[in-house]
Amino acid sequence: MKHRDSRLFSMFIGPKGENIEILKNEILYGLDRHKRWRSDYTPDDPSPVAGTDFSRDTQKLHRAVEALLDRLERDNPHYFHPRYSAQMLKDPSIPALVGYFLTMLINPNNHAYEGGPATTEMEMEVIEDLQRLVGFENGWGHLTSGGSLANLEALWAVRNYKGKGRVLFSVASHLSWKRICDILDIRDFKELPADSRYRMDVDALKKELASGEALCVMANFGTTGCGAVDPLDEILSLREQYGFHLHVDAAYGGYFRSLLLDEQSRLLSREQVGSQISPYLYDQAAALCRADSITIDPHKHGLMPYGAGSVLYRREELRQAILNTAPYTYHVKEKPNIGMFTLEGSRPGAAAAGCWLVHQMFPLFKDGIGSVLDATLAAARRFAHLVDGAENLRALTSPELDIFCLYAVDHSRRISAVNSQTLKIYNQLSIENPHAPFILSKLLIDKNTAARMLPDHQPDADHLIAMRSVFMKHWMGVDEESSWLEELLKEVEKAVNS
Ligand SMILES: Cc1ncc(COP(=O)(O)O)c(C=O)c1O
């Protein structure tokens, strides 16, 4: 039975380009309006566009465009399709594409108000929506080019605000954290072990906190590897005792909090939320509002194309620690000049406009963007269920969000043998195989974590290798009768048995 929310079907181009006319209509309408907007401005000015025969140039341009498209189609996997679930590549929604494209024609810069008044206001509205999504009141935040930059700015602000100190995060965290410590010259950082579910080991955190003051603990709400959610509630209790800054990297998982919210952004009860959200996930998502700062990326689950991350601060005062001004800009004093408080300089107003248009169609609550996320969760849950019934496959963890990892069984119970079996899947179902019917990726799990995840296996390899599927395309979960997941399982089993 099909999901009833028509936006799930109408607001995406579709795996077969079914809705390209919807996109075309809005783009063509916008181009006409744009032409008029230009020509209506000082109509008496002369036109500098000289000459009338541009055919040589336009033919050359067209040939270059053809060459561009040839290369894009020849050298890229079909990222938009549900058969591609290797990396966090979401097919952007139609509102995002329309908002981005039509604003790009004007090319506003949200660095200072004067560079993009309309899109600065939109950015502030988008940020208010995101603040309500995570449950912050009266905080501060802005869009960034991505999650790494958001993480970097947050730690920069915290370090400047609070001074020196240790930074703690789990070994399952995104690679940006070690880079950021290097850039900020924070040598006193520690990677904490992850437990058997790939979550931060809170006992290890306790020990570290007892051994010396920490400046910042960074927890994950959706690890890049398998979407694991760290126990925020327990970490928050430790904050009471130790007083560190808690940054949550919810670059991937933050939007899932929409599934807990009604139209007024009020928290729904567990019963209202439904069984898709486990009690554990419910508690951690509810607790997000008590974090001190959060990274959340519109270009991951916010239906946006790349170039859209965000950083949110619970208390506005943190931005003062990174305030910078300049003699040549920020002239409009009574309006927000976001760039005074950002690490990045020029930022595309088009990204703010894209997000703003997405929020008009998919507001950030359960019956808005939550419908999309509900479908991606359903895909991961259904696939986990199918794998449960497969003889020679095991789930690495039960999926907390919509990323699912599995490994192949080997009766010798040696990790090296498990890896060889799992690599058979990788060789068939990844970018390594140009004819792969499905494209997944692999996840390497360090030896210590692997020993916790597979305690009854002999740890005779440096890593455990798992296959990783990021079920971001809602098409996999939106239609219960679709057979993609069954087909995927068959292909995985075929590869292992080959
Ligand atoms: C949890 C997490 N944090 C941060 C990032 C970095 O985001 P970006 O690639 O947008 O810089 C990622 C990217 O995958 C991520 O998964």
Side-chain angles (χ1 to χ4, degrees):
M1 199 186 68
K2 292 238 163 168
H3 200 292
R4 265 171 287 137
D5 187 340
S6 63
R7 290 167 299 184
L8 291 175
F9 303 94
S10 63
M11 288 295 112
F12 299 87
I13 295 175
K16 293 187 181 297
E18 297 90 328
N19 292 328
I20 207 77
E21 289 301 321
I22 298 176
L23 176 64
K24 248 196 230 169
N25 281 345
E26 298 309 329
I27 297 286
L28 292 178
Y29 169 72
L31 285 172
D32 284 344
R33 285 273 306 255
H34 185 74
K35 150 87 177 129
R36 212 179 322 139
W37 190 61
R38 288 192 184 218
S39 61
D40 284 355
Y41 180 61
T42 60
D44 297 334
D45 278 356
S47 167
V49 179
T52 47
D53 185 9
F54 295 145
S55 54
R56 272 183 52 199
D57 296 341
T58 54
Q59 278 162 17
K60 187 169 180 205
L61 172 66
H62 191 69
R63 282 195 299 277
V65 168
E66 279 177 332
L68 167 74
L69 294 176
D70 287 348
R71 289 182 67 171
L72 292 177
E73 290 169 14
R74 189 193 62 209
D75 298 340
N76 280 313
H78 295 77
Y79 294 126
F80 57 83
H81 201 278
R83 286 179 184 271
Y84 177 93
S85 61
Q87 301 295 350
M88 294 173 173
L89 283 143
K90 181 94 184 161
D91 198 25
S93 62
I94 289 178
L97 295 168
V98 171
Y100 207 109
F101 181 85
L102 294 181
T103 310
M104 212 167 51
L105 301 173
I106 299 170
N107 200 25
N109 181 347
N110 276 14
H111 177 78
Y113 194 81
E114 68 207 74
T119 47
T120 295
E121 300 287 355
M122 284 179 211
E123 179 167 350
M124 302 307 288
E125 290 168 36
V126 162
I127 291 297
E128 273 173 33
D129 294 341
L130 287 169
Q131 303 266 24
R132 272 197 296 277
L133 169 68
V134 302
F136 282 0
E137 289 165 13
N138 313 315
W140 162 252
H142 59 83
L143 296 176
T144 62
S145 60
S148 305
L149 260 292
N151 286 340
L152 170 53
E153 185 193 289
L155 193 55
W156 180 41
V158 175
R159 200 271 313 268
N160 284 10
Y161 188 76
K162 293 185 70 154
K164 283 192 172 148
R166 277 195 317 155
V167 176
L168 306 170
F169 48 89
S170 93
V171 71
S173 303
H174 187 254
L175 58 87
S176 57
W177 286 99
K178 279 203 271 185
R179 284 185 188 165
I180 291 165
C181 289
D182 189 34
I183 293 166
L184 295 175
D185 201 22
I186 296 174
R187 300 190 182 190
D188 198 4
F189 70 86
K190 174 113 190 182
E191 278 186 290
L192 302 167
D195 69 12
S196 60
R197 285 167 296 200
Y198 217 44
R199 299 174 185 160
M200 181 189 283
D201 176 338
V202 176
D203 288 331
L205 173 63
K206 276 184 203 157
K207 268 193 211 140
E208 284 302 325
L209 291 169
S211 75
E213 201 178 323
L215 166 72
C216 179
V217 172
M218 196 291 294
N220 288 295
F221 194 92
T223 55
T224 316
C226 67
V229 173
D230 288 339
L232 297 188
D233 45 6
E234 291 180 56
I235 299 170
L236 281 159
S237 310
L238 291 170
R239 188 183 63 181
E240 305 290 304
Q241 196 180 345
Y242 293 101
F244 49 81
H245 177 103
L246 176 61
H247 180 83
V248 179
D249 187 346
Y252 188 76
Y255 280 91
F256 284 93
R257 196 172 192 271
S258 63
L259 286 162
L260 275 61
L261 301 182
D262 72 7
E263 296 193 5
Q264 267 77 49
S265 308
R266 287 176 306 217
L267 212 56
L268 296 163
S269 68
R270 273 191 197 169
E271 293 66 40
Q272 289 167 313
V273 163
S275 58
Q276 278 276 70
I277 303 285
S278 67
Y280 174 80
L281 182 58
Y282 180 95
D283 290 345
Q284 311 322 310
L288 252 186
C289 63
R290 291 162 59 211
D292 295 300
S293 53
I294 298 177
T295 292
I296 173 168
D297 280 359
H299 69 201
K300 294 194 171 65
H301 263 306
L303 310 180
M304 279 290 292
Y306 286 111
S310 81
V311 58
L312 307 173
Y313 301 92
R314 190 158 53 91
R315 285 170 296 129
E316 197 184 54
E317 71 217 46
L318 235 76
R319 71 182 194 174
Q320 295 302 334
I322 52 169
L323 167 69
N324 270 289
T325 187
Y328 46 79
T329 185
Y330 310 133
H331 301 319
V332 188
K333 297 284 181 230
E334 71 283 6
K335 294 288 189 183
N337 282 289
I338 299 173
M340 289 165 78
F341 307 102
T342 62
L343 175 62
E344 293 172 86
S346 298
R347 290 172 316 114
C355 285
W356 185 86
L357 209 56
V358 168
H359 291 193
Q360 307 311 303
M361 292 307 296
F362 293 97
L364 305 184
F365 48 75
K366 187 171 188 281
D367 294 332
I369 202 167
S371 301
V372 185
L373 296 160
D374 193 53
T376 68
L377 277 183
R381 300 281 145 87
R382 245 183 86 204
F383 193 61
H385 180 71
L386 291 175
V387 167
D388 263 355
E391 211 178 300
N392 23 6
L393 301 173
R394 293 286 176 275
L396 184 70
T397 57
S398 153
E400 233 130 55
L401 302 178
D402 56 4
I403 303 178
F404 179 73
C405 296
L406 61 80
Y407 60 91
V409 172
D410 187 276
H411 295 293
S412 70
R413 291 184 186 256
R414 285 180 298 113
I415 299 269
S416 60
V418 168
N419 288 349
S420 309
Q421 288 295 96
T422 307
L423 278 175
K424 287 200 220 161
I425 311 173
Y426 181 73
N427 291 335
Q428 290 301 316
L429 302 179
S430 73
I431 47 164
E432 306 289 338
N433 174 8
H435 307 293
F438 288 90
I439 303 182
L440 316 184
S441 59
K442 62 185 173 183
L443 171 67
L444 304 187
I445 294 136
D446 67 279
K447 201 170 181 170
N448 293 335
T449 313
R452 287 175 155 207
M453 290 179 141
L454 275 67
D456 53 354
H457 279 60
Q458 200 182 317
D460 62 343
D462 286 342
H463 290 100
L464 166 68
I465 300 174
M467 293 305 297
R468 170 171 172 264
S469 234
V470 185
F471 288 119
M472 287 185 108
K473 318 271 159 37
H474 64 287
W475 307 115
M476 284 274 207
V478 87
D479 180 357
E480 282 171 20
E481 277 142 36
S482 101
S483 55
W484 278 315
L485 292 168
E486 280 82 1
E487 207 189 312
L488 170 60
L489 180 74
K490 253 190 230 149
E491 292 292 345
V492 171
E493 287 186 310
K494 196 164 99 190
V496 175
N497 295 331
S498 63

